[in-house]
């Protein structure tokens, strides 16, 4: 995959590295950050020159519009190191295009490819020692943009800050995942910003997720806002259902995020000859399949977890346990996508980009 090389980016190196203080065998997801960050501001109608500098807090005006009107978007990506110590990105072009779709929906300026992709390549190359070899070891990449223009009038900002921060990571979810199907709360609505990776989408989930966790569930399977009869996403992930030997997932829409892992799993399933359907998934359909034994698997898919199997779900106070399978299609697809990401299998799709 060929992507634009970066324009010149100023680099101010940290005086010393924190890397020797990090226990890479016992990482808590998203709490440790590398030595550097990329910063690029949008002012006076244009993007300024990006700079990579030591990771540190920064000052911002209390009236910055990100605090008052929520103009904030982000992406989640990973870098991988193969057995030859080469570092790879996975489908960064998809994250780049989705980031700018989110920016457009939130009335924010689009980020040029040489800043987004070029910035990623440059900072990951600088921090390549933070990418550890071995399955499960990754460097999580968080590009994001916030409105930094001051003033509390309710209108879009005229100034923005694009940044990239990096965090060494291992597996995201630990232990069994049980979910509850939402009957009242919704993740997103038609005409809203559900298809954007906007910060507000995630904060709105926290309260219903807290209620679910108090009942002993790790996540929620969200239903459509109008009827609560269609199953759409699981927590922060796209969700898949296996009935007999067919995998079903909801189509992307204004309410459902166009996940990079989601579309990759669909492509892999088609290559493997697995029957997969993108269509509305009804609550009643899944409950019926759970009762008659044809529901074999439910799994979430996203950058952080890759594939997260779900062991059971609750709906209307009834809990349905899923069978424990030796021939899990979820685990097969996870293995196939992971082998591509770590360069343990040929990338026939052209998804990987060498740093």
């Amino acid at each position: 995959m060929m992507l634009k090389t970066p324009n010149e980016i100023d680099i101010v190196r940290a005086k010393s590295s924190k890397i020797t203080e990090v226990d890479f065998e016992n990482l808590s997801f998203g709490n440790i950050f590398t030595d550097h960050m990329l910063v690029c501001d949008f002012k006076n109608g244009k993007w300024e020159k990006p700079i990579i500098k030591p990771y540190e807090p920064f000052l911002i005006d209390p009236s910055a519009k990100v605090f008052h009107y929520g103009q904030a978007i982000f992406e989640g990506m990973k870098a991988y190191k193969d057995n030859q110590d080469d570092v790879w990105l996975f489908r960064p072009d998809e994250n780049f295009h989705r980031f700018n779709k989110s920016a457009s929906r939130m009335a924010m300026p689009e980020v040029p490819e040489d800043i987004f992709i070029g910035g990623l390549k440059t900072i990951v190359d600088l921090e390549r020692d933070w990418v550890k070899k071995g399955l499960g070891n990754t460097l999580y990449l968080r590009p994001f943009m916030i409105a930094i223009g001051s003033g509390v009038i309710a209108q879009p900002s005229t100034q923005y800050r694009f940044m990239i921060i990096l965090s060494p990571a291992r597996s995201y979810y630990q232990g069994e995942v049980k979910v509850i199907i939402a009957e009242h709360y919704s993740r997103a609505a038609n005409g809203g910003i559900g298809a954007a990776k906007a910060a507000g989408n995630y904060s709105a989930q926290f309260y219903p997720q807290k209620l679910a966790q108090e009942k002993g569930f790790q996540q929620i399977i969200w239903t459509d806002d109008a009827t609560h009869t269609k199953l759409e996403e699981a927590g922060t992930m796209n969700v898949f259902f296996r009935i007999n030997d067919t995998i079903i997932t909801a189509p992307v829409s204004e309410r459902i995020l166009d996940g990079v892992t989601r579309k990759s799993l669909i492509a892999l399933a088609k290559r493997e000859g697995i029957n997969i359907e993108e269509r509305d998934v009804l609550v009643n359909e899944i409950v019926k399949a759970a009762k008659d034994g044809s529901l074999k698997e439910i799994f979430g898919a996203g950058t952080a977890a890759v594939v997260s199997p779900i062991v059971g779900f609750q709906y209307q106070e009834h809990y349905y346990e899923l069978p424990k399978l030796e021939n899990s299609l979820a685990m097969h697809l996870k293995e196939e996508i992971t082998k591509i990401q770590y360069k343990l299998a040929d990338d026939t799709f052209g998804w990987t980009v060498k740093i």
Side-chain angles (χ1 to χ4, degrees):
M1 179 183 297
M2 296 297 294
L3 296 168
K4 281 188 178 180
T5 55
N7 286 341
E8 184 179 351
I9 297 175
D10 289 337
I11 299 176
V12 179
R13 293 179 180 267
K15 293 181 180 179
S16 60
S17 176
K18 307 186 293 276
I19 196 168
T20 57
E21 304 169 11
V22 177
D23 181 0
F24 284 89
E25 296 301 316
N26 295 285
L27 292 170
S28 177
F29 187 87
N31 287 331
I32 303 295
F33 296 93
T34 65
D35 297 316
H36 300 88
M37 61 185 187
L38 180 141
V39 182
C40 186
D41 286 351
F42 179 89
K43 295 180 179 178
N44 300 316
K46 63 181 181 179
W47 287 101
E48 298 182 341
K49 188 176 183 180
I51 181 172
I52 293 174
K53 57 193 292 188
Y55 184 95
E56 62 185 1
F58 58 87
L59 293 174
I60 189 169
D61 194 290
S63 71
K65 291 183 183 292
V66 65
F67 298 136
H68 303 274
Y69 303 111
Q71 280 187 290
I73 60 172
F74 68 94
E75 277 294 324
M77 315 167 61
K78 285 180 178 177
Y80 308 82
K81 183 170 282 185
D82 65 20
N83 291 330
Q84 286 70 49
D85 287 321
D86 289 323
V87 177
W88 300 82
L89 302 181
F90 182 74
R91 308 193 75 175
D93 56 323
E94 293 288 346
N95 295 95
F96 166 66
H97 293 304
R98 188 174 65 182
F99 188 87
N100 279 335
K101 287 181 181 178
S102 297
S104 177
R105 180 61 183 85
M106 298 297 289
M108 304 169 82
E110 294 188 5
V111 177
E113 184 177 338
D114 59 339
I115 294 176
F116 189 99
I117 299 292
L120 278 170
K121 287 182 173 181
T122 304
I123 193 169
V124 171
D125 187 36
L126 181 65
E127 305 283 50
R128 62 173 50 242
D129 289 344
W130 289 81
V131 194
K132 299 302 181 182
K133 286 193 292 189
L135 290 175
N137 295 321
T138 62
L139 186 63
Y140 184 77
L141 319 178
R142 173 52 65 92
F144 65 100
M145 178 164 52
I146 60 173
I148 60 172
S150 59
V152 294
I153 185 171
Q155 63 185 28
S157 177
T158 58
Q159 298 181 26
Y160 297 88
R161 178 160 295 164
F162 171 71
M163 298 185 66
I164 303 173
I165 56 177
L166 318 175
S167 177
R170 301 198 75 178
S171 59
Y172 188 63
Y173 291 111
Q174 301 289 340
E176 294 186 339
V177 176
K178 299 180 180 181
V179 300
I180 187 168
I181 293 178
E183 298 179 61
H184 173 70
Y185 294 102
S186 298
R187 176 191 173 273
N190 283 330
I193 58 172
K197 281 192 75 72
N201 286 342
Y202 296 80
S203 60
Q205 296 183 33
F206 293 158
Y207 177 69
Q209 184 172 320
K210 174 178 175 288
L211 297 180
Q213 290 171 343
E214 289 172 352
K215 295 181 179 180
F217 298 92
Q218 286 71 44
Q219 287 291 352
I220 298 172
I221 294 186
W222 302 105
T223 51
D224 68 290
D225 63 300
T227 67
H228 294 290
T229 61
K230 300 175 183 178
L231 296 161
E232 301 198 325
E233 291 193 338
T236 59
M237 301 177 290
N238 295 115
V239 64
F240 292 76
F241 304 87
R242 175 186 172 188
I243 297 179
N244 292 320
D245 289 326
T246 297
I247 296 176
I248 310 164
T249 191
V252 295
S253 68
E254 290 181 304
R255 303 185 306 273
I256 298 176
L257 192 70
D258 187 10
V260 178
T261 304
R262 173 191 178 277
K263 63 177 61 178
S264 302
L265 293 177
I266 291 171
L268 281 167
K270 291 178 178 178
R271 188 188 73 177
E272 298 286 309
I274 299 169
N275 189 30
I276 189 161
E277 299 176 359
E278 294 179 76
R279 62 167 175 81
D280 289 342
V281 186
L282 300 180
V283 176
N284 289 344
E285 174 187 13
I286 296 304
V287 170
K288 178 179 180 295
K291 288 179 178 179
D292 66 25
S294 59
L295 180 64
K296 305 301 183 183
E297 296 183 82
I298 304 175
F299 57 96
T303 298
V306 187
V307 170
S308 181
I310 292 167
V311 300
F313 70 93
Q314 179 169 300
Y315 179 65
Q316 292 183 342
E317 304 305 321
H318 294 284
Y319 180 72
Y320 301 88
E321 189 83 22
L322 295 180
K324 298 185 185 301
L325 303 178
E326 293 185 2
N327 61 334
S328 165
L329 291 182
M331 290 299 94
H332 173 68
L333 290 173
K334 180 176 183 178
E335 181 181 359
E336 292 303 307
I337 194 173
T338 299
K339 286 193 296 187
I340 292 173
Q341 291 168 335
Y342 287 90
K343 306 302 287 184
L344 298 173
D346 290 337
D347 176 15
T348 59
F349 296 99
W351 286 342
T352 52
V353 175
K354 189 176 181 179
I355 296 298

